[in-house]
Amino acid sequence: MAHWSRFEKELELETRRLISHYTSIQDEEDQNFQMALKFAWSNFKFHRFLDTNRHNVQRSINGIHEKLMVHSDLSKAESWLRLTGEFLSSPLPNTEETKTEVHYSVLALLLHLSDSPSNTNYCERPRLKEAEKEDEFDWAKYLMEGEDIDTGPFPDTPEWSEDESEEEDSQQPLSREDSGIQVDRTPQEDHEQNDKTVQVTWTCCFQDSYLHLHSNLYNVWDQHLYNTGPLYLPEEKSFVTETQVIRETLWLFSGVKKLFIFQHNDGKVTVRNDVVVTHLTNNCLHSVLEHIAAYGQAVTRLQKFIDEVTGHSAEPCPPGLNSSSSSSSKKSSDPPFRTYQAFVWALYKYFTSFKEELNTIEKDIIAKDETVTLSSVLERLSPHLAQITMLHRVFCTGVADVPPGTPNVLRASHLLNTLYKAIIEYDSVGEASEQSVALLFSLWVETVRPYLEIVDEWIVHGHLFDPAKEFIIQRNKDVPVNHRDFWYATYTLYSVSETVESEERLSDAASGSSGGEQASSSRQHTMVSFLKPVLKQIIMAGKSMQLLKNLDCKETEQPDDAERKSLYTLFLESVQTRLRHGEDSPTNTVTEQQATKKSLIKMQSIVARHLELDDIHDPLLAINFARLYLEQNDFHEKFSGSNVILDRSSESVTCQTFELTLRSCLYPHIERRYIECCGNLMRTLKKDYRLLGYLQAMRNYFLLEAGDTMYDFYTAIFDKVLEKESWQQLAFLNVQLQEAVGQRHPEDSSRLSIFLETIDPARKKQPVNNLDGLTLSYKVPWPVDIVISSECQKIYNQVFLLLLQIKWAKYSLDTLRFSDLTVAAKRQEGGQSEESTAKEPINQQIHRMFLLRVKLMHFVNSLHNYIMTRILHSTGLEFQHQVQEAKDLDQLIKIHYRYLSTIHDRCLLREKVSFVKEAIMKVLNLVLIFSDRWQAGFGAWKIESIDKMESDFKNCHMFLVTILNKAVCRGSFPHLESLALSLMAGFEQC
């Protein structure tokens, strides 16, 4: 090893240290150590690794720099490029050159060992260079060695006496630009001097009152402008202290209008231009004061609105149901409505707390326990000022920007929507706006109180109390409760379009009497956002309760208002219960931190189970609710009492899930009241007013479900027709109807009647149309006529007329006797002419008539069975089941109307399939003609008429089979499948 180089010796030493470190073998003579040493030396000397490619390393360096730039890690990118460049340009311990293979090898090793550079938090550590050692050699002593220096009689005396300096300075006049002390303005005649220096005699003792240069910054800056600006003209200034500025700032925020620094002009707050302080420049001071004036103007505008609504009263009262505050409102013909009063009450409570903070700051200034600066005051008030800016923005959007003359309903809806959208908007920011969201939530809770009180009064007592017409639903007093149109035309739903900002009125009749569901795709209407999910329930519960109040039933008994909690109180208590559900005080045996942790885990599990009841699986949300509960111990006090004072931080988590809070804390109370009111109404209508009985009566008489009763009625008419007697007499029809109904349903005989409407004679060209104009009427008492209206009876009559026509055709074919035709034929056999026998034998003609009768009977019976079984019976069973499941009257009305619409469509009475009905009517008309000629016998008609009847029936039959098969194949009319198959079977036998 004597011939080894220094590098090899160092490598040998480092190799042994490496093996000892990784194998933990300290004895170098050990066999295992020697084997490891040989293995390492073998790899070092005879390795198969390629040398480092400096181009690849440089590309990697550039690639990492580009990656960091793409990820916007500018500091990393700059440090990476600079440090790698410095490393390549610096020598190594054993290498004097730069950018050698060793440099690139080291960088390649670091690149292989490094992780993703964009996912690493890196902060460059400062590299301190060794400071150059100061030369401590005393050159003065060295150079002056050997020189004699006269130090005077008192060598210990300092060279410069401070007292003498002070005395000299006290006698020397100082210039204004050097003094930094406020002096009088220099006369303008001195402008012609080149140096523009004004000498002022000034005497001051530094020991007693030393003034820093910054305390006279304004004078220094003003002197600079005076010296450098040839056209600079001095102006008279009003010097104030910073304490005075702070005091006027606090007064401005308190609502004081008569101030010195801040002035009110036409609702705007301006700043005097001649106000200065000694330690700030004019521009700096005015920049701060203008900023303060902007906040002051917002405060003034909000305070003015509060005064206008409260009528300049000293202490406004919270709005209530009796609207007593309207008596003390401002002297005008149109007092503020309750939603504005509630909003003002919320603003008033906020400004009360804000003014308490201002009073605290003013007391701190008076106490002089610590230095109070304008900057510290603004920093202390910065959260309040941010909230005032937000409140002013909400006020401008929700109140001030509303055009004059806008109805109260639109004003109230717009204000509540503005608060609602502001909560959602600020909540999307996250924790940065937690205080703002909390304040907005407290404002919303107060402002929504009148709306919830109106809803509560309506759904509990059936009385829509809204004297100012601010609620989105308004009562139409022209329609009494006991009117048949009460359910459709009593209430008007107001909605406003955001794009047009115009008033729209949607009546309940147009919206299916439920309101809010029929939103056009081309024109989106918005109303009070928080009521949208339960608007239908509110309308149904309110109308049901008002209807119940006018019915003689025991279901309307309600508890006394003194014992009952209002909807608003229930809402606040639900929020409180949601946040404090499952509270348990920690034991004293554990520490406070452990108790908090255990309570948090327990609350999280409880809230998670509570949320799962609403099909909400969100563990993070459960943790947020639990943490809020643990942090806010005064939530119950804040929400209890008539005058609710919401803490700014107590409802922050409710705002993070604002819509979830409404779904769990407000909507269930409305839903519960809706189910109770509508359930009572449905039970009353079914039990006391025989609603189901009247629906059954309509099916019995109009849809002929009472077959035996209606058979006696319509067969009397058909017999008159067969006997060629007049049946279109109102007295005859009513007598037959009363006799038929009175035998089996005497309770309906007084309610049921029949009428003959005047029909255009042109429509009665065909025999089947002779029944047109026959109208059945059933007197339905109130309130059942809300469900069975006159419009519904019109649809019933259309189906009734179709059934009569089918029954007539079936009755005409059923009453035909073969003997009638054969007897008439035998009479004509002896007297028939040669001409008639040459055409076709009589027996052949009779046989054709028999076959045609069978075909017509198959068609009519197929149609009759389809209508009576597949349509009326099966649809009626489904309808009865839906009626039993109906939760409210509106749903029952829709079910009944849907039932009528279904049977109207399936009976082919819709205009869209009128061509199918025309073909059926042709066959029915053909049946009546055929029956008439059968009864007339031979001689009354010619043999050619049989050919025409067979041809017409075949054409109509083929047309119907083709049309119905195509409709069934397309799947558009699945209910026609049975009729199509039946007619197809008859068609194949033709």
Side-chain angles (χ1 to χ4, degrees):
M1 297 173 57
H3 63 278
W4 279 13
S5 63
R6 179 182 176 184
F7 173 74
E8 291 175 333
K9 292 179 180 180
E10 291 180 354
L11 182 60
E12 168 75 12
L13 180 60
E14 294 296 332
T15 305
R16 291 178 179 273
R17 292 177 57 189
L18 178 66
I19 295 172
S20 299
H21 177 73
Y22 277 101
T23 62
S24 301
I25 301 175
Q26 303 299 330
D27 186 8
E28 296 184 359
E29 300 300 330
D30 189 274
Q31 183 179 0
N32 293 328
F33 186 90
Q34 293 296 327
M35 291 176 64
L37 181 63
K38 291 180 181 180
F39 176 78
W41 267 112
S42 175
N43 279 277
F44 286 154
K45 289 185 177 181
F46 309 108
H47 66 83
R48 291 174 294 177
F49 303 108
L50 298 177
D51 293 338
T52 303
N53 190 334
R54 64 174 60 198
H55 298 290
N56 292 339
V57 174
Q58 189 62 45
R59 277 196 296 268
S60 299
I61 293 173
N62 296 336
I64 291 176
H65 176 264
E66 183 178 359
K67 181 178 182 179
L68 293 174
M69 292 295 291
V70 169
H71 286 271
S72 299
D73 288 337
L74 303 182
S75 59
K76 281 188 185 180
E78 191 274 332
S79 298
W80 169 257
L81 202 61
R82 176 170 49 79
L83 294 177
T84 52
E86 290 179 359
F87 175 75
L88 291 174
S89 302
S90 61
L92 297 177
N94 297 327
T95 307
E96 299 296 333
E97 300 177 359
T98 61
K99 296 185 178 181
T100 63
E101 296 294 334
V102 179
H103 287 80
Y104 285 100
S105 298
V106 172
L107 286 178
L109 175 62
L110 294 177
L111 288 172
H112 286 300
L113 294 177
S114 65
D115 196 357
S116 176
S118 61
N119 294 331
T120 304
N121 295 326
Y122 170 74
C123 181
E124 184 179 352
R125 293 176 297 179
R127 291 169 173 79
L128 301 177
K129 296 182 179 180
E130 296 183 0
E132 296 182 0
K133 296 183 179 180
E134 297 183 358
D135 189 2
E136 299 178 354
F137 186 75
D138 191 354
W139 288 98
K141 183 177 180 180
Y142 173 76
L143 294 175
M144 298 183 66
E145 184 178 359
E147 297 290 337
D148 294 334
I149 300 175
D150 186 10
T151 58
F154 305 100
D156 298 333
T157 304
E159 297 182 6
W160 192 265
S161 176
E162 295 180 1
D163 295 338
E164 293 177 0
S165 175
E166 291 174 3
E167 292 178 0
E168 292 177 1
D169 291 342
S170 64
Q171 301 298 328
Q172 293 294 331
L174 299 180
S175 64
R176 185 177 59 177
E177 66 177 285
D178 294 333
S179 66
I181 302 299
Q182 174 181 342
V183 296
D184 295 335
R185 181 64 60 187
T186 306
Q188 298 182 7
E189 288 81 54
D190 296 336
H191 285 187
E192 297 178 358
Q193 299 179 7
N194 295 330
D195 55 355
K196 293 187 178 181
T197 303
V198 180
Q199 302 296 331
V200 179
T201 303
W202 171 60
T203 303
C204 178
C205 181
F206 282 94
Q207 289 84 351
D208 296 332
S209 58
Y210 175 76
L211 297 179
H212 195 271
L213 181 63
H214 292 171
S215 64
N216 254 341
L217 181 60
Y218 172 77
N219 288 331
V220 173
W221 180 250
D222 191 67
Q223 181 65 48
H224 170 71
L225 295 178
Y226 179 74
N227 292 335
T228 57
L231 300 179
Y232 179 76
L233 294 177
E235 297 178 357
E236 293 185 0
K237 299 294 183 181
S238 299
F239 286 87
V240 294
T241 62
E242 186 172 5
T243 304
Q244 293 173 331
V245 176
I246 295 174
R247 182 179 60 189
E248 291 220 356
T249 300
L250 298 178
W251 288 352
L252 175 66
F253 291 158
S254 299
V256 179
K257 295 184 178 180
K258 294 183 179 180
L259 299 172
F260 176 73
I261 299 178
F262 303 99
Q263 297 178 342
H264 291 75
N265 297 318
D266 297 333
K268 295 183 179 180
V269 179
T270 58
V271 182
R272 292 175 62 102
N273 295 325
D274 58 345
V275 174
V276 295
V277 292
T278 58
H279 61 286
L280 293 175
T281 63
N282 194 19
N283 292 337
C284 178
L285 176 64
H286 275 264
S287 176
V288 177
L289 294 182
E290 290 289 347
H291 192 60
I292 295 173
Y295 290 118
Q297 184 171 341
V299 172
T300 302
R301 195 172 185 187
L302 291 174
Q303 188 63 51
K304 181 181 178 183
F305 174 66
I306 294 175
D307 294 339
E308 289 176 352
V309 174
T310 59
H312 305 282
S313 60
E315 294 186 3
C317 301
L321 276 175
N322 55 2
S323 188
S324 59
S325 59
S326 61
S327 60
S328 61
S329 61
K330 63 178 183 177
K331 298 178 180 179
S332 63
S333 58
D334 188 14
F337 49 95
R338 289 187 295 168
T339 302
Y340 272 17
Q341 294 177 20
F343 179 62
V344 164
W345 175 244
L347 291 178
Y348 175 80
K349 290 197 295 184
Y350 171 78
F351 277 105
T352 300
S353 62
F354 177 57
K355 290 178 182 179
E356 290 177 357
E357 179 68 18
L358 297 177
N359 292 335
T360 303
I361 296 175
E362 193 166 3
K363 290 178 181 178
D364 294 342
I365 298 175
I366 296 174
K368 297 182 179 179
D369 294 335
E370 58 183 9
T371 303
V372 180
T373 63
L374 182 61
S375 177
S376 64
V377 170
L378 294 179
E379 183 178 0
R380 186 172 175 179
L381 292 176
S382 58
H384 288 281
L385 298 179
Q387 292 174 353
I388 287 175
T389 303
M390 178 188 63
L391 293 179
H392 184 257
R393 186 181 299 113
V394 170
F395 165 74
C396 291
T397 305
V399 178
D401 293 345
V402 178
T406 304
N408 290 342
V409 58
L410 301 186
R411 291 178 180 270
S413 300
H414 184 61
L415 175 58
L416 289 172
N417 278 345
T418 301
L419 288 171
Y420 185 90
K421 293 176 181 177
I423 292 175
I424 303 300
E425 177 183 355
Y426 278 90
D427 184 43
S428 62
V429 179
E431 296 181 358
S433 62
E434 182 176 348
Q435 295 297 325
S436 300
V437 174
L439 175 59
L440 287 172
F441 182 74
S442 65
L443 285 176
W444 183 86
V445 169
E446 285 290 349
T447 309
V448 82
R449 181 201 295 249
Y451 251 63
L452 295 184
E453 289 176 346
I454 293 174
V455 172
D456 181 71
E457 177 72 12
W458 192 24
I459 65 179
V460 173
H461 298 289
H463 179 213
L464 186 61
F465 180 78
D466 184 22
K469 294 185 178 181
E470 58 187 298
F471 194 55
I472 56 174
I473 303 169
Q474 295 181 14
R475 176 76 161 90
N476 182 11
K477 297 182 180 180
D478 297 335
V479 181
V481 180
N482 57 357
H483 195 273
R484 58 177 299 274
D485 293 334
F486 162 78
W487 198 260
Y488 307 95
T490 309
Y491 294 96
T492 301
L493 174 65
Y494 284 78
S495 63
V496 56
S497 175
E498 286 186 342
T499 56
V500 184
E501 291 296 329
S502 62
E503 179 183 356
E504 295 288 343
R505 303 186 180 185
L506 301 177
S507 64
D508 288 345
S511 60
S513 74
S514 61
E517 293 183 341
Q518 308 292 328
S520 174
S521 59
S522 61
R523 191 171 53 178
Q524 294 293 333
H525 296 280
T526 61
M527 53 200 68
V528 182
S529 302
F530 79 98
L531 286 183
K532 277 186 178 181
V534 289
L535 184 61
K536 175 186 176 182
Q537 287 82 346
I538 292 174
I539 296 175
M540 291 300 102
K543 292 196 293 187
S544 299
M545 197 63 216
Q546 187 170 5
L547 191 58
L548 277 171
K549 286 290 185 179
N550 289 269
L551 297 178
D552 296 332
C553 61
K554 299 180 180 180
E555 302 288 348
T556 58
E557 295 181 1
Q558 296 295 330
D560 188 12
D561 282 347
E563 302 176 358
R564 184 186 63 85
K565 294 181 180 179
S566 66
L567 177 63
Y568 185 74
T569 304
L570 291 173
F571 168 59
L572 297 183
E573 289 182 353
S574 297
V575 176
Q576 165 200 333
T577 304
R578 185 179 182 85
L579 300 182
R580 296 179 63 92
H581 184 65
E583 179 180 3
D584 258 342
S585 59
T587 59
N588 298 327
T589 58
V590 294
T591 61
E592 182 180 356
Q593 183 178 4
Q594 292 173 344
T596 302
K597 185 176 181 181
K598 290 183 178 180
S599 300
L600 180 59
I601 295 174
K602 185 174 183 180
M603 277 300 300
Q604 184 216 346
S605 62
I606 293 174
V607 175
R609 290 197 302 269
H610 181 67
L611 293 176
E612 287 177 0
L613 297 178
D614 299 332
D615 294 333
I616 301 168
H617 305 279
D618 192 346
L620 180 60
L621 180 61
I623 293 176
N624 288 337
F625 270 100
R627 189 176 301 279
L628 172 79
Y629 155 69
L630 294 174
E631 293 176 354
Q632 304 301 329
N633 296 324
D634 58 344
F635 194 81
H636 178 72
E637 291 80 8
K638 298 301 181 183
F639 272 98
S640 61
S642 58
N643 296 334
V644 181
I645 303 176
L646 295 177
D647 183 57
R648 296 294 172 256
S649 59
S650 62
E651 65 280 351
S652 58
V653 75
T654 64
C655 301
Q656 294 175 4
T657 54
F658 185 43
E659 296 179 355
L660 176 61
T661 303
L662 293 177
R663 285 204 304 270
S664 60
C665 300
L666 176 62
Y667 299 159
H669 300 294
I670 298 176
E671 289 275 358
R672 192 177 303 112
R673 187 59 193 166
Y674 153 75
I675 294 174
E676 181 180 355
C677 293
C678 297
N680 290 341
L681 179 61
M682 293 301 296
R683 285 191 295 271
T684 301
L685 292 177
K686 293 177 182 179
K687 180 180 178 181
D688 300 338
Y689 289 88
R690 299 180 54 249
L691 173 62
L692 300 180
Y694 288 118
L695 290 174
Q696 182 62 47
M698 298 299 292
R699 296 197 304 273
N700 287 341
Y701 307 128
F702 287 85
L703 304 184
L704 307 183
E705 287 192 11
D708 49 358
T709 301
M710 297 307 293
Y711 180 84
D712 295 341
F713 167 67
Y714 60 69
T715 52
I717 301 176
F718 299 158
D719 290 339
K720 285 280 187 180
V721 176
L722 293 177
E723 294 171 3
K724 308 298 182 181
E725 297 180 4
S726 175
W727 61 271
Q728 296 176 345
Q729 299 175 4
L730 197 58
F732 164 75
L733 295 174
N734 279 289
V735 168
Q736 293 298 324
L737 182 63
Q738 294 300 324
E739 289 180 355
V741 175
Q743 293 179 3
R744 299 175 180 86
H745 304 281
E747 69 278 1
D748 292 330
S749 60
S750 60
R751 299 184 179 278
L752 200 61
S753 59
I754 197 164
F755 298 95
L756 281 174
E757 296 182 357
T758 304
I759 304 298
D760 186 7
R763 292 176 53 185
K764 292 187 177 182
K765 293 182 179 179
Q766 303 296 333
V768 74
N769 297 122
N770 289 333
L771 294 178
D772 292 353
L774 198 62
T775 305
L776 205 60
S777 177
Y778 190 85
K779 295 180 181 179
V780 182
W782 180 86
V784 183
D785 59 352
I786 297 176
V787 180
I788 308 175
S789 61
S790 58
E791 290 77 11
C792 294
Q793 292 203 22
K794 291 180 180 179
I795 302 177
Y796 274 116
N797 269 301
Q798 292 182 23
V799 180
F800 173 69
L801 177 60
L802 176 65
L803 294 178
L804 280 185
Q805 291 171 338
I806 297 175
K807 293 285 186 180
W808 187 14
K810 179 176 171 55
Y811 185 80
S812 298
L813 291 175
D814 292 342
T815 55
L816 294 179
R817 299 292 181 266
F818 292 109
S819 58
D820 297 340
L821 194 61
T822 56
V823 170
K826 289 180 181 180
R827 291 176 182 176
Q828 293 186 1
E829 283 182 356
Q832 64 180 357
S833 61
E834 297 180 359
E835 180 181 357
S836 61
T837 56
K839 293 182 179 179
E840 187 174 359
I842 295 178
N843 292 335
Q844 188 67 26
Q845 296 180 27
I846 294 175
H847 182 69
R848 289 176 61 187
M849 291 288 287
F850 288 169
L851 291 178
L852 182 58
R853 176 178 180 270
V854 172
K855 294 177 183 179
L856 292 174
M857 286 186 66
H858 178 269
F859 181 91
V860 173
N861 288 334
S862 299
L863 180 62
H864 180 267
N865 291 335
Y866 163 75
I867 296 294
M868 299 303 295
T869 58
R870 180 66 178 88
I871 302 302
L872 298 183
H873 181 67
S874 60
T875 308
L877 293 177
E878 182 182 359
F879 168 67
Q880 293 178 22
H881 176 71
Q882 292 177 350
V883 168
Q884 294 295 338
E885 299 294 329
K887 296 181 179 180
D888 56 61
L889 185 57
D890 187 68
Q891 187 177 2
L892 179 60
I893 293 172
K894 290 183 178 179
I895 291 173
H896 184 235
Y897 184 79
R898 192 182 304 118
Y899 166 68
L900 292 179
S901 178
T902 300
I903 62 175
H904 184 270
D905 292 346
R906 293 182 178 180
C907 289
L908 306 174
L909 297 175
R910 192 169 52 173
E911 187 67 27
K912 187 176 181 180
V913 291
S914 59
F915 57 92
V916 180
K917 182 191 174 185
E918 290 178 0
I920 293 176
M921 289 295 105
K922 286 183 179 180
V923 176
L924 297 181
N925 189 67
L926 182 63
V927 169
L928 297 178
I929 296 175
F930 174 81
S931 175
D932 185 64
R933 291 180 180 178
W934 179 292
Q935 294 176 356
F938 287 94
W941 41 272
K942 297 181 180 181
I943 189 62
E944 288 80 4
S945 61
I946 300 179
D947 298 334
K948 187 175 187 312
M949 286 189 293
E950 289 177 342
S951 175
D952 291 345
F953 174 70
K954 185 176 182 179
N955 293 335
C956 291
H957 199 176
M958 182 182 299
F959 171 76
L960 288 174
V961 168
T962 304
I963 292 297
L964 294 180
N965 281 332
K966 288 183 178 180
V968 171
C969 292
R970 287 197 307 266
S972 54
F973 300 99
H975 55 276
L976 293 173
E977 183 176 1
S978 60
L979 178 62
L981 292 176
S982 179
L983 295 182
M984 176 70 74
F987 179 72
E988 291 176 354
Q989 298 175 5
C990 291

